[in-house]
Amino acid sequence: MMSPFKGSQAQKQRMSRMSVFIKGPLEIPSPTETDWPKDDEKDFVFLDIDRELDSLPQPYRMINKVLNQLFDQSWEVIEEREALREIEKNRVLPTIYPPVTEIQINQMPGGMAVSQDYLFIGGAKGFSIYNLENFKRIYVWEKFKVDVVSIWATDLGNEVLIVPVDEMGIVRFFYLYKDSLFLIKAINEMDDVTKQSTCLKMEFSQGGDYAAFLLQGAGEIWLEVYKLPKETWLKEAEFPQLGPSQKKKTKQVPTTPDVAPLEGMETGLRPSLSPYTVQELNISFKSDIKFTQPVLIMKIKPPKAIAGTTFKSPLEIFSKIEDYYGLGSGQNHFIKDAQWEQHVEIFYASYKKYLEREGDEEPLSMPTFHFICTNTLATMPMDARSSSGGAWILGIHWTGNHNFFLYPLNKTLKEKTDCENVWPCAAPIVVSQISSFSSFLALACEDGVLILWDMAQGFLFGVIALPEGCFCQSIHFLKFFLVHEGRNMYPESSVKSEVMCVVLCTDASLHLVTASGTKGPTSKVLLERSMSHAEEDVCKVAPVPALPGMVLIFSKNHSVRLMDVATAKIICAFAAPVSYPPEMPWAPLFIVSPHHPYFLLYGAHPDDTDATTSTDDYSDSPHSVFYFKFEEYPLLKDLPQNCTISQKDLECNQAFSQMLSLEKRCEQFLQKSFQKLLNTQVKGHDHWTRLRRHSIFLQKENLKK
């Protein structure tokens, strides 16, 4: 008798597995439902297929589970790659534009700065000056002992103040007046090298009224603030006082294009290292002309740790403290020595295993400082005010500190350096930024909270928390713009109490934070971190003032893109013929013009770009500064022109007119609030005076007893 099941062994196994779910012999049911057998459901037994596999003996059962897990993981990888491949097919790459002009230089620049129509590049033992109209080098100063590592330049009206810093950390002031260059002063140069201090950072106030330098030396760090006599410098440059050493005639530098000046002459040109011939000379150096020196008005050191007080009672504190400012802000705490020692003992006992680390030295506290010009934060005498009528204040926060300090700049070095106000925060401040013309201030804490202040009006916009896991890396203010007829445009008249800023987080995500006087801050994600393209993570961001609502995004893969923050879309990209090893981290050196539609980007293009090229080989490669002008590109040709919207168009637009009328109502409300604030300050001072008098009276009564 032949078996009813014919076929391969695999077919027999499949049929045997099917028998698990079938009761009784295999039969073909009749086409009529009424003839089907009436079996009870309880007679059917459903068994899981995997139960047969679980009944396999070891090690076959474990081998089966490992193979199944491997298959599932492989399938997930295949599905993920397929999804990424599909995304790549639908991905639209932006249009890439090359640079308009290339300025060749002989080595990697030690910083770049732009002022008026001049480009200043730090280099070997000095700096160079280029004319941005024809992109020609017009002057070279190379009389330092070491190379320049950074350089700053600021406008002083029609003049330019140039401040290079060399490898030894020495700061020097150069004054560019018309076609003359003057050396004013070396700030921290010392004859004794052991007493030499090093400049780590510097800032200038808007218009060049003040300058601040962060200096380090002998294991300490401090901040020096100078007042710059720019009006006096202008008079001294126009009518120089010639000294006895200047009566000697100086050699004249030939101006013939084909004749190169000799080394060591007045211009300081070095033709041997110049990659091209200098065709015209506009600037000449004038030495031994005496200028009025910058005035040191303030020296600020890191805040001291809270220590115990020698006061014996609160009555003694109230009677001897003349000023009530700062109480409750974390600065003027009065704690007895015994209480403070007990608190320190408890703290060290609780965190002993974290605090005792051999070889770890406590790092120096580094400050971030800004010059703030405002009419509302403090009352200053007329000699401390700027040309715009506002008072200059220096705002500082130190690493690991919760407080933002405000120092008035109407002090002299002989007076005691005290902060005018202290703004405490709930967490240590990690990033701070001030907008142009000191209109707005942003403070970012280490817990991801962002605090926005309106410095012009003197009130708090609000507090906003960044998304979970996002911590602020940098803040960049944007000039307020409106979207009109599909284009980003600046209002022709000034708009108050409207702030926009772009926040770059440590996870490479980009956020747009907006706030107004009537609304709390809101956050919008512009760019998330790319999970599939880690090389496109953002490392730097720079606003473009000439293009409303536009920012430049610098990525780790050495790409530069232009984003419209209103739509969160990439408009185009910019590429320079630059090659770097993939493993080399990119710290882009660039300058965005604050007034004109262009930006400059430094790059090196080595001759050998294969994978075996080492990082050291790039020091001898050709170097260039690439010039990108937005008006030269088709997609951006019309953007820089007519980028303002008139008051008439604002009033015709219903949405904008509502905003303007609301602004007027807010302005009236703020004026009333300021008046109430002044009255409150007067009352507070009166209460403090009465409290002091009462404390002195009670203290005298206690002495009589």
Side-chain angles (χ1 to χ4, degrees), residues 538-552:
V538 182
C539 59
K540 289 286 184 180
V541 176
V544 183
L547 301 180
M550 302 288 180
V551 293
L552 287 174

Side-chain angles (χ1 to χ4, degrees), residues 482 493-496 498 518 647 650-670:
L482 300 169
S493 59
S494 60
V495 178
K496 299 179 181 179
E498 298 284 348
T518 57
Q647 186 74 17
L650 284 175
E651 294 175 355
C652 294
N653 191 305
Q654 185 177 1
F656 296 158
S657 62
Q658 291 178 358
M659 182 194 69
L660 292 177
S661 61
L662 183 60
E663 180 191 357
K664 293 180 180 180
R665 293 198 299 267
C666 292
E667 186 175 357
Q668 294 177 357
F669 173 77
L670 290 175

Side-chain angles (χ1 to χ4, degrees), residues 588-630:
L589 179 59
F590 63 93
I591 299 176
V592 181
S593 174
H595 307 293
H596 304 289
Y598 71 84
F599 76 96
L600 300 168
L601 174 65
Y602 159 74
H605 37 88
D607 298 331
D608 187 9
T609 57
D610 58 5
T612 60
T613 304
S614 64
T615 304
D616 297 335
D617 296 336
Y618 287 78
S619 59
D620 299 329
S621 303
H623 300 266
S624 297
V625 176
F626 301 101
Y627 177 82
F628 297 86
K629 190 174 183 180
F630 301 115

Side-chain angles (χ1 to χ4, degrees), residues 136-392:
K136 295 179 180 179
R137 187 172 65 177
I138 59 177
Y139 188 76
V140 177
W141 168 274
E142 291 179 338
K143 295 184 180 180
F144 297 156
K145 297 180 180 179
V146 292
D147 296 347
V148 171
V149 295
S150 61
I151 189 168
W152 278 262
T154 182
D155 290 350
L156 302 179
N158 295 326
E159 297 72 41
V160 180
L161 180 64
I162 311 165
V163 185
V165 181
D166 61 21
E167 291 180 342
M168 298 180 64
I170 299 176
V171 183
R172 295 178 176 88
F173 279 5
F174 286 85
Y175 189 72
L176 181 59
Y177 172 75
K178 295 183 179 179
D179 57 351
S180 301
L181 183 68
F182 306 91
L183 175 61
I184 296 178
K185 179 181 176 60
I187 294 296
N188 56 334
E189 188 174 17
M190 302 288 291
D191 295 333
D192 189 356
V193 182
T194 59
K195 299 180 180 180
Q196 180 72 50
S197 60
T198 303
C199 179
L200 304 179
K201 192 188 302 183
M202 69 176 69
E203 288 288 342
F204 292 94
S205 63
Q206 190 81 19
D209 294 300
Y210 295 91
F213 302 94
L214 179 62
L215 303 177
Q216 181 181 7
E220 295 183 352
I221 192 168
W222 66 93
L223 197 66
E224 291 186 0
V225 185
Y226 290 83
K227 185 174 182 180
L228 307 181
K230 60 179 186 178
E231 291 82 6
T232 307
W233 287 346
L234 178 59
K235 295 179 181 179
E236 293 172 345
E238 291 179 346
F239 308 100
Q241 299 295 327
L242 300 179
S245 61
Q246 287 184 295
K247 295 182 179 180
K248 298 180 180 180
K249 295 183 179 180
T250 58
K251 298 180 181 180
Q252 298 295 329
V253 179
T255 58
T256 306
D258 297 333
V259 180
L262 299 177
E263 186 176 0
M265 298 180 70
E266 288 293 332
T267 59
L269 285 175
R270 185 167 57 116
S272 59
L273 295 181
S274 177
Y276 46 81
T277 304
V278 179
Q279 297 188 3
E280 58 179 321
L281 288 176
N282 297 336
I283 300 174
S284 62
F285 177 72
K286 295 183 179 180
S287 59
D288 298 334
I289 296 179
K290 187 176 181 181
F291 276 79
T292 302
Q293 301 298 304
V295 180
L296 178 62
I297 60 174
M298 196 177 299
K299 188 175 182 180
I300 304 172
K301 293 186 177 182
K304 296 181 180 179
I306 300 176
T309 180
T310 57
F311 293 123
K312 298 180 181 179
S313 65
L315 293 177
E316 187 177 359
I317 294 174
F318 289 134
S319 61
K320 293 186 178 181
I321 298 299
E322 298 180 357
D323 199 350
Y324 71 95
Y325 292 107
L327 284 177
S329 63
Q331 292 306 298
N332 290 344
H333 285 316
F334 297 97
I335 305 174
K336 287 187 176 181
D337 291 332
Q339 294 176 329
W340 188 249
E341 292 175 359
Q342 184 180 8
H343 176 75
V344 172
E345 290 178 1
I346 296 174
F347 178 80
Y348 275 91
S350 302
Y351 302 97
K352 182 178 180 181
K353 60 180 181 179
Y354 302 103
L355 296 175
E356 292 183 356
R357 296 181 180 178
E358 296 182 359
D360 289 350
E361 297 182 359
E362 185 177 357
L364 294 174
S365 182
M366 299 293 292
T368 301
F369 45 96
H370 312 277
F371 285 100
I372 304 171
C373 183
T374 177
N375 294 313
T376 58
L377 293 181
T379 302
M380 302 293 172
M382 292 303 297
D383 58 350
R385 295 183 176 272
S386 66
S387 57
S388 61
W392 283 111

